[in-house]
Amino acid sequence: MGYKAGYTLDRVPVHRRAHSHTHSHTHSYTTDTLDTPISLPCMCLDWGRKPEYPEETPAARGEHTNSAHTGPRWESNPRPWRSKIMVSLFLLSLPLLPVIITLCRSPLRALYHRVCERVLKVLRGKVCVRRTHAYIFCVFLDEVVRREAPLRVLELGMHCGYTSVRILRLLPTSGTLLTVEVDPLTAEKGEEILLVAGFKNSQFQVLPCSSAEAISRLASHLGEDLLDLVVMDHDPEQYLPDLLALQRENLLSKRSVLILNRVAEAGARVVLEYLTTKPHDYTVHQRFKDMLEIRCGNSESF
Ligand SMILES: C[S@@+](CC[C@H](N)C(=O)[O-])C[C@H]1O[C@@H](n2cnc3c(N)ncnc32)[C@H](O)[C@@H]1O
């Protein structure tokens, strides 16, 4: 089999070494640590391309592509394992890329810094908005729970239990929390979090179902009691249907308090409109950003 001219990394023409090998390759470079030349074009950039050496494919040699190899694979077809090694080396060196760019003094470094700054800015903006909202909502909620010291609390939308923990830690000793989460897996994790946080099953109950379903079964959980506090943090489109269901089931008293989160969302508009049409039944006690505290009954009932 013939060869074409090429040079090793130490500038030795390839043909001197290629004689001792059964294969030689076009545009090959070798290092002293490897016995056979490495075909650089084969490394990783030729995925999906047609074979550069059609005469060396198993098909061209009359072999079936799935046939079992009798000898070591690298002897009959050396490229795949070399390619894998080179791809692995390339991938392993990727984490070093920022260090290399930072060390070299070039316009590339300035560009790299600018890209990093932009990415951080975008990420920081997104993360902060969410964190701030969750935090402000909990501060808002904490203040109401401290002030009202509710004994029976219903939370709609537990997710993984962050607000549940905040409520539970402020409840009076005999206070209990019923919390609803429609996603069963999330409800399971949320319950685990409450238990790990140190709360007991006598203090809370997780209802893994929709808010509508939970409300229809709530009387059996509450017995003679009514709800002192209802926290709506699930689906804003469900706020009005759920409020109407709570009324129908006679689960609210003249002293019940409702906390609604994310009322700026389009789905919550109908509940706000409804509340304005019932000034004798509901009073907006405070509004902060998109959070509302509503009292059942007008201000004279308090
Ligand atoms: C914004 S997250 C609640 C966050 C939680 N209160 C906290 O701060 O930790 C809304 C949750 O409500 C759940 N959810 C949405 N619609 C629901 C429904 N109709 N009934 C019960 N849960 C619902 C979602 O699965 C989601 O986990």
Side-chain angles (χ1 to χ4, degrees), residues 134-135 138 155 158-167 193-194:
Y135 177 73
C138 285
E155 180 187 37
M158 176 202 203
H159 195 55
C160 51
Y162 177 56
T163 40
S164 315
V165 169
R166 307 268 314 206
I167 295 167
I193 285 174
L194 298 193

Side-chain angles (χ1 to χ4, degrees), residues 133-135 137-138 141 155-167 179-184 186-187 207-214 231-239 242 261-262 265:
H133 186 82
Y135 177 73
F137 177 60
C138 285
L141 191 58
E155 180 187 37
L156 301 176
M158 176 202 203
H159 195 55
C160 51
Y162 177 56
T163 40
S164 315
V165 169
R166 307 268 314 206
I167 295 167
T179 181
V180 183
E181 172 52 54
V182 74
D183 178 50
T186 308
L207 306 177
C209 58
S210 73
S211 49
E213 208 180 321
V231 180
M232 294 196 183
D233 190 18
H234 53 324
D235 173 5
E237 291 200 5
Q238 281 300 311
Y239 289 1
D242 288 345
N261 193 16
R262 295 177 285 130
E265 286 185 25

Side-chain angles (χ1 to χ4, degrees), residues 48-193:
R49 272 174 41 184
K50 288 192 175 143
E52 208 167 316
Y53 309 92
E55 73 282 5
E56 292 182 28
T57 60
R61 286 196 302 267
E63 292 171 17
H64 190 279
T65 40
N66 289 331
S67 66
H69 292 267
T70 46
R73 189 167 179 82
W74 56 83
E75 279 176 13
S76 56
N77 187 4
R79 286 195 188 83
W81 70 271
R82 283 186 198 150
S83 302
K84 276 182 196 156
I85 290 178
M86 297 313 290
V87 170
S88 307
L89 286 175
F90 175 71
L91 291 176
L92 283 173
S93 66
L94 271 184
L96 292 175
L97 203 58
V99 178
I100 296 164
I101 293 174
T102 309
L103 289 179
C104 70
R105 292 194 165 275
S106 70
L108 193 61
R109 185 164 79 160
L111 181 71
Y112 172 73
H113 279 284
R114 225 172 297 147
V115 170
C116 285
E117 269 169 27
R118 281 274 163 87
V119 170
L120 281 175
K121 217 172 177 179
V122 169
L123 285 180
R124 217 177 287 144
K126 279 197 177 149
V127 171
C128 279
V129 168
R130 287 200 182 156
R131 275 198 195 145
T132 308
H133 186 82
Y135 177 73
I136 292 176
F137 177 60
C138 285
V139 171
F140 185 81
L141 191 58
D142 282 359
E143 190 265 312
V144 178
V145 178
R146 274 200 185 95
R147 169 171 28 93
E148 299 297 321
L151 291 178
R152 300 291 167 257
V153 182
L154 172 68
E155 180 187 37
L156 301 176
M158 176 202 203
H159 195 55
C160 51
Y162 177 56
T163 40
S164 315
V165 169
R166 307 268 314 206
I167 295 167
L168 277 165
R169 81 194 209 290
L170 294 174
L171 285 191
T173 336
S174 56
T176 53
L177 170 73
L178 285 163
T179 181
V180 183
E181 172 52 54
V182 74
D183 178 50
L185 201 65
T186 308
E188 204 180 307
K189 302 260 177 249
E191 180 162 18
E192 213 172 307
I193 285 174

